[in-house]
Amino acid sequence: MVCEMETDQQIEEMDVEVLSSMWPEDVGGTEPDNQFNVEKPAGDSDTLKEVDIAEKRTMADLKRLPDLLNTTDQGSSQLTNLVKQWEYMQDHAVRLLREELKILTKQREEAEAKELKIIEEHNFETEEPENVPVLDESSDLFRRFKEKKRDKLVGRKRIEIDEEFDTVAYWKQKALSLEKMLEASTERERRLIEKLNESLKTMESHSAPVEELTQNLKRAEGFLHFILQNAPIVMGHQDKDLRYLFIYNKFPTLREHDILGKTDVEIFHGGGVKESEDFKREVLEKGKASKREITFETDLFGSKTFLIYVEPVYNKAREKIGINYMGMEVTDQVRKREKMAKLREDNAVRKAMESELTKTIHITEETMRAKQMLATMSHEIRSPLSGVVGMAEILSTTKLDKEQRQLLNVMISSGDLVLQLINDILDLSKVESGVMKLEATKFRPREVVKHVLQTAAASLKKELTLEGNIADEVPILVVGDVLRIRQILTNLISNAIKFTHQGKVGIKLKVIPKPSFASDNTHKADAEEQNGLAETSVWICCDVYDTGIGIPENALPCLFKKYMQASADHARKYGGTGLGLAICKQLVELMGGQLTVTSQVNLGSTFTFILPYKVAASNDHSDDQDEFSDMVDHQPEPDDSTEGYFQFKPLLGSIYSNGGPVMGNNFLPHKAMLPSPVKLINGNTGQSESVQVENGGYMDDTRLETGSGHCPESAHQYENGNGRCPSKESESCSSSQASSEMESEFTVSSPREDVQTETEVKETSKQPKILLVEDNKINIMVAKSMMKQLGYTFDIANNGVEAITAINSSSYDLVLMDVCMPVLDGLKATRLIRSYEESGNWDAAVEAGVDIKVLENKQMSVRSTNRLPIIAMTANTLSESSEECYANGMDSFISKPVTLQKLKQCLQQYLH
Amino acid sequence: MNTVVVAQLQRQFQEYLVSLYQQGFLDNQFTELRKLQDEGTPDFVAEVVSLFFDDCSKLINSMSRSLGRPESVDFKQVDSGVHQLKGSSSSVGARRVKNVCISFKECCDVQNREGCLRCLQQVDYEYKMLKTKLEDLFNLEQQILQAGGTIPQININ
């Protein structure tokens, strides 16, 4: 066995040894019975409560275990190791003894030699002790010898003295006795050696290693028990059919015979069992130890994860005879690990999200900044440009020769174009940055269409027929953002006119069922309806059609893109910013609708937008009726509101051919620049026909009139209206009439006189009444001083509500209205005033929370029908754009700071 | 009356006023304002301007109160103050103040408290600066008048 051991690697790898040594020592020691079942720590589970393993019992097939040990490599190597170790120790002891013996022998020989020498040389008796010092301290043994010797010498001395000293006999005798002593000593020595040898022999044979081995084994076994008893570890040995031969720390409820001789699959059921068995088999086949983590899901102990180590076991012939396996329960660790992994994953996801968000925020901020910047820039450009164009327009009112005028006209129209572009950009950025808010106001679609057409007709210089056609089912009054709708219509109409050279341009309104794209909005609409508003939604489809040049199909897709026109050629030929349609589309979409286009080259295009509106409660309408019935003179108004068809035919007069190139950029419904009276006068306030006829050249209202001329009823209405028309309307007519006479609408000076003579008859004595609506004291002070210089006085209102109250109680010829004011801003105030003018009542204002003395209402209602010129005073900011002023019903605007010059111009235009 | 002294004062006045324009303290609106001043209202500009400065001081105080509460800045209130200030400064031609107001308003629109506070400081600084400058200017005016001279009409452009 020892030999075999030595052929085995002496220094086997530690872990292998440790792992394999576990059972052999347990088993090989003695009586495995005892050992395995002795220490059953009851309360070992405190650290790992779920772990039942602690309760497991170990057991073994005792008969087979020694067998196993004897037949397997590991088993025998274990034992041989122990034996070898013991032998080493014994060998060592023997070697030590031998060395000692050698030294002793040597010393003895030396001593003998010395003695002999002394005897031979001196031939006299020497005292023994003298020899001693040499070997004195070398060993106890020697001392013992020495003493023995001495004893003997003493005995011998006595014998020697028999003969006479220094005789031959004496010496003979002495020699003899010495010889004898030597012999005796040699004899003793021999005996000693014998004894030593004997003792060596006994030492060698004496201790069979069993005792000590047992001791060692016991210690090892105790140690292992000590370590393993509480460990969540299962160990086992299975034969090559994977039947258990040995198991340590089995599940407590299983008895030995439940396990031994059975396979995993036979013992357990559930997830992981098969896997572990397969794994064991795999190890067995491959012959290579390996580890794996397997999660068991058994009825017996629930869900537990084990880290399993399996190694194949060989017999001495290097044949596989089974496996050793060791499982450590790592459920907690796995759980923790999974938790960790999940946390880490979550963390990563969160981080990713965070960075994504930061990026988005960053981008948004950047975009916002860019847009803000664009808006600011546009605004910054607009202000000085307005100045340039405004001045140019004023310049055009002076005497110029033909060439100068042409140049100036080009200058003005270019300036206007840039302004329009900037306004468009501002609009777009407003929509895009979400600044633009929609407002819900009641309005009459018919009226809107009519106004848009009127405005377009006013600046039309082509021979086109403009028509409006509104289906009967379209409600009289709907709720929507009329400003934006008007803007869209105006834009589309301008476009249509721009690209149409003959034929007609028109607007068609009809009610349609809810379109499919709106279905996702249903929810919202429903919710709103449920809010108790007595309003129902209606979808109105609006076609803006023309008989123009049309749009090639390939150009349709980019039609609504910013800065795009159907083709570069068109852009050159027709000009424009290329933003108009983009804005329309955005606005329509903002309102929850859809803008589409169909077109045929050379036949025309139709832009269609579908928008949802709420139908205003019917009582509104009846209110109106009541109101109107009070005002007999204004009977036409309600008629107007139900009118379904308008047409504006080209006036075949000469005016259009020479009608002021200034108007070249016709399509701005409200030219942002200078207050031009032309566009301020809405057709709904009548003009005296006589005046128009007399001043045949005047563009705007004349044409409206002519338009209504084709529509006898409405013409009649206007005449009716005109009966009450105050002088100031005529004045403004006349001023524009004057301008047309000058081939320019901006002439204010000389021709005025003529008209004034006609119109001032009624008014000369009267100072115009002006209302300044302004909240800033300093501005008021400055304005006051300016007015004084210009020779006017005025009333002051500090906000929109005060303005409305003032207008309600007194009549004004002109209102200068700050836009941004506390309580009620200028835009809203103007809208309310306009609504009052249209409806004759302050309902809208009251609704908006303005406290109006109703008693005065009716008295004033007559006057209210005249359109009061309202001039905005804007600070030219995003929220105070000229567009907005016009859209809210203001007639013009003065940009702040107000200068004497601006004020003068404005007052002159509106008061004379 | 010492014509030399008057002439000197007048020149000084002119230079000072022009420098105020050149340094951007004032713009044409101030010219407008000066045009409005006549015999009937000899102190018109001074009145307006002092009203303006009173306004400034009040508005700045109230805005600084609003902005002083970091958690609950009432930007609406600040905004209305800035708007007032902007309108006033624009009306009197206090160009620098107006320009600061423009950035102030932008900060206000995005509810940037830090920016607002910075602008508030600037506005405070600018209006005080302008105030001293204009006080100097009015002093010069007074001196000219006392010396028996007339305030020269100065065409800035």
Side-chain angles (χ1 to χ4, degrees), chain B residues 88-131:
Chain B
S88 308
S89 55
S90 152
S91 272
V92 297
R95 188 169 159 201
R96 285 203 193 178
V97 177
K98 186 184 80 182
N99 286 343
V100 178
C101 283
I102 290 170
S103 350
F104 197 163
K105 194 154 167 60
E106 276 164 15
C107 290
C108 211
D109 286 344
V110 296
Q111 311 220 330
N112 174 357
R113 181 171 167 266
E114 293 300 309
C116 281
L117 282 171
R118 211 170 43 242
C119 289
L120 187 72
Q121 261 178 3
Q122 272 179 32
V123 155
D124 191 49
Y125 171 80
E126 288 296 347
Y127 105 80
K128 281 176 179 157
M129 189 88 158
L130 181 65
K131 195 173 173 185

Side-chain angles (χ1 to χ4, degrees), chain A residues 372 376 775-779 781-782 785-786 788-789 818 820 875 877 880 896-901, chain B residues 29 32-33 35-38 41 44 47-48 51-52 55 58 83-84 86-88 90-92 106:
Chain A
Q372 185 61 38
T376 316
D775 62 318
N776 189 313
K777 284 176 288 180
I778 289 150
N779 291 352
M781 198 166 168
V782 173
S785 169
M786 288 177 175
K788 205 176 107 197
Q789 281 218 341
D818 186 20
C820 188
T877 56
E880 299 182 15
K896 282 179 167 181
V898 177
T899 64
L900 199 60
Q901 183 62 25
Chain B
Q29 190 63 18
E32 284 283 322
L33 222 56
K35 276 191 212 154
L36 294 174
Q37 185 165 295
D38 54 24
T41 53
F44 176 70
E47 274 171 24
V48 172
L51 185 65
F52 168 64
D55 230 32
K58 270 183 227 152
H83 181 78
Q84 280 273 342
K86 190 171 147 226
S88 308
S90 152
S91 272
V92 297
E106 276 164 15

Side-chain angles (χ1 to χ4, degrees), chain A residues 303-352:
Chain A
S303 174
K304 282 195 190 307
T305 306
F306 286 84
L307 178 65
I308 289 174
Y309 169 79
V310 181
E311 71 173 356
V313 180
Y314 299 94
N315 65 8
K316 286 168 192 163
R318 304 299 298 166
E319 288 163 339
K320 287 172 218 164
I321 57 159
I323 51 148
N324 287 339
Y325 110 92
M326 187 167 151
M328 179 179 257
E329 203 250 25
V330 289
T331 314
D332 283 358
Q333 283 73 14
V334 169
R335 229 176 261 156
K336 274 178 201 152
R337 198 177 60 207
E338 274 163 9
K339 231 185 212 164
M340 274 303 251
K342 215 173 155 230
L343 278 175
R344 237 173 251 147
E345 201 175 292
D346 285 356
N347 223 16
V349 168
R350 203 157 301 149
K351 263 201 188 131

Side-chain angles (χ1 to χ4, degrees), chain B residues 1 8 12 18 21 35 37 64-65 67 73 77 93 99-100 109 118 124 131 137 143:
Chain B
M1 157 175 128
Q8 204 184 348
Q12 213 180 328
V18 169
Y21 281 90
K35 276 191 212 154
Q37 185 165 295
S64 104
R65 267 199 304 280
L67 287 168
V73 176
Q77 202 187 330
N99 286 343
V100 178
D109 286 344
R118 211 170 43 242
D124 191 49
K131 195 173 173 185
L137 191 76
Q143 284 175 32

Side-chain angles (χ1 to χ4, degrees), chain A residues 235-457:
Chain A
M235 288 179 285
H237 174 81
Q238 286 163 289
D239 65 12
K240 60 177 184 243
D241 296 325
L242 296 179
R243 295 185 183 282
Y244 280 97
L245 297 182
F246 168 82
I247 189 159
Y248 180 87
N249 258 353
K250 68 172 173 68
F251 190 76
T253 59
L254 291 174
R255 281 158 305 167
E256 297 195 3
H257 57 83
D258 289 332
I259 294 179
L260 295 181
K262 287 186 178 165
T263 62
D264 277 327
V265 186
E266 285 165 356
I267 301 164
F268 304 106
H269 302 281
V273 176
K274 187 86 181 41
E275 190 188 347
S276 80
E277 178 126 328
D278 289 347
F279 172 56
K280 286 170 183 170
R281 192 153 286 135
E282 195 187 307
V283 170
L284 194 63
E285 273 161 26
K286 284 195 181 156
K288 238 174 123 185
S290 65
K291 284 181 276 187
R292 182 177 291 184
E293 214 173 82
I294 294 174
T295 302
F296 292 92
E297 188 69 64
T298 64
D299 303 333
L300 199 57
F301 50 80
S303 174
K304 282 195 190 307
T305 306
F306 286 84
L307 178 65
I308 289 174
Y309 169 79
V310 181
E311 71 173 356
V313 180
Y314 299 94
N315 65 8
K316 286 168 192 163
R318 304 299 298 166
E319 288 163 339
K320 287 172 218 164
I321 57 159
I323 51 148
N324 287 339
Y325 110 92
M326 187 167 151
M328 179 179 257
E329 203 250 25
V330 289
T331 314
D332 283 358
Q333 283 73 14
V334 169
R335 229 176 261 156
K336 274 178 201 152
R337 198 177 60 207
E338 274 163 9
K339 231 185 212 164
M340 274 303 251
K342 215 173 155 230
L343 278 175
R344 237 173 251 147
E345 201 175 292
D346 285 356
N347 223 16
V349 168
R350 203 157 301 149
K351 263 201 188 131
M353 263 164 66
E354 215 166 82
S355 71
E356 197 58 33
L357 267 176
T358 330
K359 229 195 273 171
T360 316
I361 288 171
H362 187 68
I363 291 168
T364 315
E365 273 174 359
E366 282 296 306
T367 319
M368 289 288 283
R369 209 169 299 144
K371 277 179 186 155
Q372 185 61 38
M373 159 109 168
L374 186 67
T376 316
M377 253 173 52
S378 306
H379 171 233
E380 292 303 319
I381 295 167
R382 187 169 62 170
S383 307
L385 192 63
S386 326
V388 172
V389 177
M391 290 307 119
E393 282 175 346
I394 291 167
L395 190 61
S396 75
T397 66
T398 59
K399 261 202 168 157
L400 299 170
D401 66 29
K402 205 179 163 195
E403 201 188 342
Q404 283 173 328
R405 188 164 299 285
Q406 261 178 0
L407 293 175
L408 200 59
N409 288 337
V410 174
M411 180 173 156
I412 290 170
S413 62
S414 312
D416 273 346
L417 186 63
V418 178
L419 274 173
Q420 179 60 29
L421 176 63
I422 288 167
N423 286 338
D424 284 354
I425 290 172
L426 280 173
D427 260 358
L428 262 185
S429 54
K430 263 196 277 186
V431 175
E432 280 172 2
S433 59
V435 173
M436 184 162 290
K437 288 182 190 79
L438 294 174
E439 291 186 18
T441 37
K442 283 180 207 161
F443 69 96
R444 297 184 172 86
R446 285 169 184 76
E447 221 171 87
V448 170
V449 169
K450 193 176 144 194
H451 289 181
V452 168
L453 289 175
Q454 272 176 354
T455 323

Side-chain angles (χ1 to χ4, degrees), chain A residues 808-907:
Chain A
N808 187 40
S809 57
S810 174
S811 67
Y812 288 95
D813 298 314
L814 181 70
V815 177
L816 292 168
M817 179 90 76
D818 186 20
V819 171
C820 188
M821 284 180 297
V823 187
L824 182 65
D825 70 38
L827 298 177
K828 281 194 199 118
T830 306
R831 266 206 323 273
L832 295 176
I833 292 166
R834 293 291 179 233
S835 135
Y836 168 57
E837 285 172 355
E838 281 173 26
S839 66
N841 65 59
W842 283 110
D843 288 357
V846 173
E847 229 168 85
V850 180
D851 188 22
I852 301 288
K853 293 190 186 93
V854 186
L855 281 181
E856 286 172 287
N857 195 358
K858 279 181 186 166
Q859 290 172 3
M860 299 319 298
S861 62
V862 170
R863 159 162 292 278
S864 72
T865 51
N866 304 318
R867 190 176 166 96
L868 172 64
I870 299 177
I871 315 295
M873 296 188 293
T874 73
N876 258 337
T877 56
L878 257 189
S879 54
E880 299 182 15
S881 73
S882 55
E883 299 273 326
E884 213 132 18
C885 294
Y886 289 121
N888 278 283
M890 288 168 160
D891 297 297
S892 180
F893 75 93
I894 304 177
S895 65
K896 282 179 167 181
V898 177
T899 64
L900 199 60
Q901 183 62 25
K902 286 188 221 166
L903 194 62
K904 196 168 151 193
Q905 274 171 20
C906 174
L907 295 180

